[in-house]
Amino acid sequence: MIRPSSLVLAAALGTAALPARAEVPRVVTDIPVVGAMVQQVMGDLGQPEILLQAGGDPHSYQLRPSQARSLQDADLLIWVGPELTPWLERAATSLSAQSEMLALLDLPATHRRDYAGGEHEHEHEHEHEHEHEHDGHGHAEEQAHHDHDHSGTDPHAWLDPANGQAWLAGIAETLSRRDPDNAGIYAANAAKAADEIAALDEELKSALTPTQGKRFVVFHDAYGYFTEHYGLEPAIAVSLGDASTPSAARLRAIRDEIAEEGAVCAFPEANHDPKLIAAVIEGSEIRQGAALDPEGTGATPGAGLYAELLRDMGQALADCLGAD
C-alpha cells in the first residue's frame, strides 16, 4: 500500500525536476511612444508602466515616489536612452541586480543621426549678432551662443519608421530572453506591428512627396529623422536641443532665416505655448498648421499610439505644406 506521504514526496520530487517557468517581465518605459511599442509586442501578456505622464517634458521630469518604487520593482527598463531622458539615467541606478535595461538608441540596427545644421546655424546667427555688436547687444550675443550649445546624437530616432521596426524586433528579443516560454508570441506580435508600420510608411511617402522642397518652422529641433526619411527639407527650429526657451537673439535670427528660406508653414508643438510660434511668424504670410506631438505625450496611451503619432504628423505636414 502506498502511503499518502509517499505520494506527496513523489510529487515534490517530480516538480523539482521540472524547469522553472519564467514569468512575464514587469516592464517600465520612459515615454508613451516606447510604451506603445512594448504594448504591441507584449499584447495580452502584460502592460508596461510609462513613467512620463501626459503633458510631461521628456528632457526634464521629476519622478513621483510611486514611480520610483515601480522602477525599483521592474524586471526590465526599456527606454530611448539618456540622450533623451537624462533624469532617468540617475533614477535607473535603483534597479535591482536582477533587472535589465534596454536602451533602444544603442541597438545595432538603430539609425542614429547628429542634430542637423548646428554649425551652419551657429555661423549664421553669429554673423547676425556681429552685425549688431555696435547696438550694445553683448548679453544677447552671449545668450545666442548658449542657444547653440547644441550637438551630439539626436535622440528622436523613433520618428524614422525604419527605426521603429528595428526597435520592435529588439524589444521582442529582450522580452523573449527574459520570458522564453512566450518567445513565439513576442516575435509574432513584433512582426505584425512592423508590417503595419511598413504599410503606414508607404501611405506617408505618398502623402508627403508633394511637399518636398518646402521649408517649414517647428518649435524645437526634434524632426530630423522624419524629414530625412521622407526627403523633406530640414525644419527651421525656433528652439534648439531640449526645447529650452530661445533667446531674443535666437528669435531675430529665426525671423531672418524664415524670410531668406521662404518658409510656408509653422507648426506649434504639444505641451508648449503656441504663442512663441505665433510671435515668430507675426507679420509674415506663413500659415500655421496643426500642433505636432513628437513624443506622444498628448495622445491616448496604448498599442496604437506610435502609428497614430506618425500618421498625425504626416497628415499635419501634408495639409499645411500642400495647401498652395
Side-chain angles (χ1 to χ4, degrees), residues 271-310:
N271 305 321
H272 294 285
D273 190 350
K275 293 178 182 177
L276 187 59
I277 289 289
V280 167
I281 65 174
E282 184 178 5
S284 72
E285 297 181 357
I286 294 180
R287 295 184 294 272
Q288 182 166 312
L292 306 179
D293 188 6
E295 285 96 15
T297 56
T300 302
L305 181 146
Y306 179 48
E308 177 185 344
L309 180 154
L310 292 176

Side-chain angles (χ1 to χ4, degrees), residues 5-299:
S5 58
S6 300
L7 291 172
V8 172
L9 179 60
L13 291 172
T15 301
L18 294 174
R21 185 177 180 84
E23 295 183 353
V24 174
R26 291 169 295 184
V27 183
V28 171
T29 67
D30 50 356
I31 61 174
V33 171
V34 175
M37 292 184 188
V38 173
Q39 187 65 72
Q40 286 180 296
V41 176
M42 297 187 79
D44 296 332
L45 292 175
Q47 183 173 353
E49 177 171 346
I50 303 168
L51 295 177
L52 188 69
Q53 299 298 299
D57 182 352
H59 305 287
S60 177
Y61 185 73
Q62 182 66 46
L63 289 177
R64 299 196 302 262
S66 60
Q67 293 176 312
R69 288 192 295 270
S70 295
L71 191 58
Q72 291 174 352
D73 295 337
D75 298 310
L76 183 59
L77 169 63
I78 301 179
W79 62 326
V80 174
E83 295 88 346
L84 180 72
T85 53
W87 50 270
L88 186 50
E89 183 177 30
R90 297 187 295 271
T93 59
S94 66
L95 287 167
S96 71
Q98 291 74 38
S99 300
E100 184 177 352
M101 285 195 295
L102 172 63
L104 296 169
L105 267 182
D106 291 340
L107 287 174
T110 299
H111 163 58
R112 295 166 59 122
R113 65 185 298 278
D114 288 339
Y115 277 109
E119 292 183 359
H120 170 73
E121 289 190 8
H122 176 79
E123 291 171 0
H124 174 83
E125 185 168 326
H126 179 76
E127 290 170 3
H128 180 84
E129 288 301 314
H130 182 72
E131 292 170 1
H132 292 274
E133 278 183 349
H134 64 279
D135 293 333
H137 288 170
H139 177 73
E141 182 174 356
E142 180 180 351
Q143 182 63 43
H145 177 78
H146 176 74
D147 285 346
H148 284 79
D149 184 14
H150 179 60
S151 59
T153 300
D154 180 353
H156 305 86
W158 64 89
L159 294 180
D160 181 339
N163 280 337
Q165 292 172 301
W167 288 8
L168 288 164
I171 292 167
E173 181 180 340
T174 302
L175 287 170
S176 296
R177 187 168 58 250
R178 302 283 305 197
D179 179 19
D181 293 326
N182 289 309
I185 295 176
Y186 296 136
N189 288 344
K192 180 176 181 290
D195 287 344
E196 292 171 353
I197 293 301
L200 174 59
D201 186 28
E202 292 302 316
E203 294 178 18
L204 292 176
K205 286 177 181 176
S206 296
L208 291 169
T209 295
T211 69
Q212 292 175 348
K214 298 180 180 180
R215 297 303 303 273
F216 61 97
V217 181
V218 295
F219 176 74
H220 92 288
D221 195 1
Y223 304 92
Y225 288 97
F226 194 88
T227 56
E228 182 182 87
H229 180 79
Y230 290 108
L232 306 180
E233 291 295 312
I236 300 171
V238 173
S239 178
L240 295 175
D242 62 356
S244 57
T245 301
S247 66
R250 173 70 185 165
L251 295 179
R252 288 197 303 271
I254 287 298
R255 291 190 185 99
D256 289 347
E257 186 173 2
I258 288 172
E260 292 169 5
E261 298 293 339
V264 297
C265 286
F267 300 90
E269 189 169 305
N271 305 321
H272 294 285
D273 190 350
K275 293 178 182 177
L276 187 59
I277 289 289
V280 167
I281 65 174
E282 184 178 5
S284 72
E285 297 181 357
I286 294 180
R287 295 184 294 272
Q288 182 166 312
L292 306 179
D293 188 6
E295 285 96 15
T297 56

